[in-house]
Amino acid sequence: MAAWGGGRLPGLLRGAAVAREAWSGARRGSSCGVRGGGAGKGSPLLLGAAFALGGSLGLYQTLRHRTRGREQLAEQQAAKLPEGTLQLTLYQYKTCPFCSKVRAFLDYHGLPYEIVEVNPVMRKEIKFSSYRKVPILLANPGSDLQLNDSSVIISALKTYLISRKSLDEIMSYYPSMKALNERGKEVTEYCNKYWLMLDEKEMMYLYPIKAARTEEMKWRKWVDDWLVHLISPNVYRTPGEALASFDYIVREGKFGALEGFFAKYVGAAAMFFISKRLKSRHHLQDDVREDLYKAANDWVKAVGNQRMFMGGSQPNLADLAVYGVLRVMEGLEAFDDMMTHTKIQPWYRHMEAAIGHARATN
């Protein structure tokens, strides 16, 4: 009955042109500058003027190359995704961090979608699916194309936005397999879930520096393997926090009157005790707030002081994942404590503004 756990009981097309940074253009500009400087062997003034002219030409080439890269990719995406082509339906629990992560991606990229809120007790809304967790994303009504697992959904859709592959083909790159988890329970895992299936040219547009791709994948995995597991122990830390969390879950979720009553009071009591087991399972500190604070500060340190987002001037998939998971705590004591006792607030407010701007312009 974890409201913020793994798709069980409740726990951004902004066709944003993904710009290729003009590294090669900058290098050509520098070479142009050197050639310009070497052309004159007369006075220092003439030599300086030549260097200035060469540097200006180099800067012009760099900016033109960068602009062309953005325009070409924007045109490619617009040509591939005419309005109304992609019709998405998201089956979710609103307070599930994995579902929130998918919504953050859809909203930021301006992809229109319908939401079906799933009753967390009966789950009759997803009875059509043998996969019984949320989020589930259906692409185009009447089709059999079903996307499961939040990270697979995000990787597949990002690949679709950039490449010219069909969504059916893309999904074949993320095969499912059965595996046993640490408790011996059979679970469904998905191969390649943090990879984007792009050709070399597309990859260069998106990741002009190879290390950026590695960094993004590392932190997306960190979100799923660590950050998300800090939510339940923190929002159910005390009986009072557990009750406040379930009051929020019942208000935002899809419950009948009787279900809501039992979920709020019985669920809150149960999750208070279950959160203690989760703390032990994930080897958290006695004061689970300390793990939450450290995770928030680790993320801020990874973003660094020179970038607004890990993606630079715009959020990347790791930014969206971290934001999506953390925002399910908004309005709760754990969220307020995190904002007060860590350095994450400026980044978080920038993310709110970026997603809000994307939604307003699409």
Side-chain angles (χ1 to χ4, degrees):
M1 295 178 62
W4 281 275
R8 293 184 289 276
L9 177 57
L12 285 130
L13 151 59
R14 180 186 191 176
V18 182
R20 177 183 183 178
E21 296 291 337
W23 171 245
S24 57
R27 293 178 65 187
R28 287 196 298 272
S30 298
S31 298
C32 182
V34 170
R35 288 194 297 270
K41 297 184 180 180
S43 69
L45 181 62
L46 180 60
L47 186 62
F51 268 110
L53 177 60
S56 299
L57 289 173
L59 179 60
Y60 168 75
Q61 293 290 341
T62 297
L63 294 174
R64 187 178 71 168
H65 183 79
R66 180 178 299 190
T67 302
R68 285 183 59 196
R70 288 175 175 157
E71 291 173 349
Q72 287 170 355
L73 194 56
E75 290 169 2
Q76 182 187 72
Q77 291 183 1
K80 176 167 170 37
L81 290 168
E83 185 177 355
T85 295
L86 198 63
Q87 300 177 57
L88 303 174
T89 303
L90 177 65
Y91 292 79
Q92 68 158 25
Y93 305 140
K94 185 174 181 179
T95 57
C96 165
F98 298 104
C99 300
S100 178
K101 185 165 62 151
V102 172
R103 292 199 311 272
F105 173 87
L106 295 174
D107 289 342
Y108 179 70
H109 288 85
L111 284 162
Y113 61 100
E114 299 292 330
I115 289 178
V116 175
E117 192 69 24
V118 176
N119 181 292
V121 179
M122 303 302 296
R123 293 187 291 180
K124 60 184 179 181
E125 294 83 4
I126 57 173
K127 65 181 180 180
F128 62 85
S129 173
S130 59
Y131 182 84
R132 302 298 290 168
K133 294 183 180 182
V134 293
I136 292 173
L137 189 74
L138 297 187
N140 301 324
S143 77
D144 295 326
L145 188 56
Q146 177 177 324
L147 287 68
N148 306 322
D149 186 278
S150 62
S151 291
V152 172
I153 292 170
I154 290 169
S155 292
L157 288 180
K158 186 66 174 183
T159 299
Y160 180 74
L161 292 176
I162 297 172
S163 74
R164 295 188 177 275
K165 303 180 184 76
S166 71
L167 199 50
D168 296 83
E169 178 187 350
I170 292 168
M171 287 309 298
S172 69
Y173 302 140
Y174 302 98
S176 63
M177 59 182 289
K178 299 295 183 181
L180 296 179
N181 64 16
E182 68 276 8
R183 302 188 303 281
K185 180 181 178 181
E186 186 177 81
V187 295
T188 301
E189 296 289 350
Y190 291 87
C191 302
N192 310 318
K193 65 196 231 176
Y194 301 109
W195 285 87
L196 304 187
M197 302 305 172
L198 304 174
D199 62 29
E200 184 177 353
K201 181 179 179 181
E202 293 161 346
M203 196 68 77
M204 283 294 294
Y205 274 127
L206 193 55
Y207 305 108
I209 302 173
K210 186 179 293 186
R213 179 181 66 179
T214 304
E215 180 184 51
E216 180 184 80
M217 291 173 63
K218 169 190 172 181
W219 287 95
R220 289 181 66 195
K221 190 173 188 299
W222 174 82
V223 170
D224 290 349
D225 291 348
W226 179 244
L227 183 63
V228 75
H229 297 302
L230 302 179
I231 306 301
S232 289
N234 274 278
V235 300
Y236 304 126
R237 184 183 61 153
T238 65
E241 287 182 86
L243 189 60
S245 296
F246 263 88
D247 181 64
Y248 168 60
I249 289 166
V250 170
R251 278 188 284 109
E252 298 294 338
K254 184 176 182 179
F255 292 88
L258 190 58
E259 288 175 338
F261 176 84
F262 278 101
K264 179 176 178 178
Y265 293 101
V266 178
M271 284 309 302
F272 169 70
F273 292 103
I274 290 173
S275 69
K276 306 307 177 187
R277 295 214 310 263
L278 293 173
K279 181 174 73 172
S280 176
R281 179 186 303 168
H282 299 297
H283 310 290
L284 306 184
Q285 300 180 54
D286 287 338
D287 183 356
V288 294
R289 282 289 197 273
E290 295 302 320
D291 290 295
L292 180 62
Y293 298 161
K294 184 179 185 305
N297 284 329
D298 285 347
W299 169 251
V300 173
K301 183 179 179 180
V303 173
N305 297 323
Q306 305 304 314
R307 299 185 289 188
M308 182 176 294
F309 307 104
M310 182 167 281
S313 61
Q314 298 295 328
N316 67 7
L317 299 183
D319 288 293
L320 294 170
V322 174
Y323 173 78
V325 166
L326 291 180
R327 73 173 174 182
V328 298
M329 299 189 298
E330 284 192 18
L332 300 176
E333 185 178 333
F335 182 84
D336 295 339
D337 286 349
M338 179 184 69
M339 288 296 188
T340 300
H341 297 289
T342 75
K343 300 177 180 179
I344 204 169
Q345 185 166 346
W347 171 86
Y348 192 89
R349 299 309 179 199
H350 287 315
M351 285 297 303
E352 284 183 320
I355 293 176
H357 177 74
R359 295 185 67 177
T361 56
N362 285 285

